[in-house]
Amino acid sequence: EAGVAQSPRYKIIEKRQSVAFWCNPISGHATLYWYQQILGQGPKLLIQFQNNGVVDDSQLPKDRFSAERLKGVDSTLKIQPAKLEDSAVYLCASSLTSGAPYEQYFGPGTRLTVT
Amino acid sequence: AQSVTQLDSQVPVFEEAPVELRCNYSSSVSVYLFWYVQYPNQGLQLLLKYLSGSTLVKGINGFEAEFNKSQTSFHLRKPSVHISDTAEYFCAVSDRARDDKIIFGKGTRLHILP
């Protein structure tokens, strides 16, 4: 089966610009996650969707970050305006359902550099 | 809130030697525990998980981990490493009693020396 797809793989922008990332989860997976992985740290959950509804966005900086999952399939994560500290790898993951035990499948990530 | 401590940021080990990557979590309440591997420029891949039952968990690529509730540890081991094991390894925990959010440690970079 096809894995989690993400694009673009790399993005370089200047601070105060906007950027968007796209994720297509594994077919049939109801739950979708966006993580931020800063260099030297583990992934940190930004937002979790169950179908097209938000389950947890407690760590999403809502003044600049937004995410949507229209039709409960693919998702976009947007940053507007970007700050230097947003430089990180943005990982998308999906799982068959929410509620442990479960396994999350990760995409390759988008490496964002803000200059 | 749960937290995960990976005691070593980098571990160098010679090829074919054994390795142990250490992981401790913050609470002794019932938890699910995971080890993920991240190869260069790739996403994370699940190595193994502890949900319940036997405290010794076997995973892919010859890795295993032992859940020790009294020491709140979940150390990862492999008896003989290969150059292809070069990667970053993340320990993670999920609190059974709460939601299914996974908390990741900061990672341990495994360097295999020829």
Side-chain angles (χ1 to χ4, degrees), chain B residues 39-60:
Chain B
Y39 298 105
N41 298 315
Q42 295 186 28
L44 278 71
Q45 179 183 0
L46 183 67
L47 265 182
L48 49 79
K49 59 187 175 186
Y50 170 78
L51 305 178
S52 64
S54 173
T55 57
L56 184 62
V57 180
K58 294 190 182 297
I60 61 172

Side-chain angles (χ1 to χ4, degrees), chain B residues 11-21 61-64 76-87 89 110-114:
Chain B
V11 173
V13 61
F14 287 102
E15 195 168 12
E16 297 183 8
V19 68
E20 177 180 85
L21 305 183
N61 301 340
F63 284 93
E64 63 181 31
L76 181 70
R77 302 186 184 99
K78 186 170 183 177
S80 176
V81 295
H82 189 266
I83 194 75
S84 60
D85 293 323
T86 298
Y89 293 80
L110 181 59
H111 291 284
I112 309 299
L113 306 171

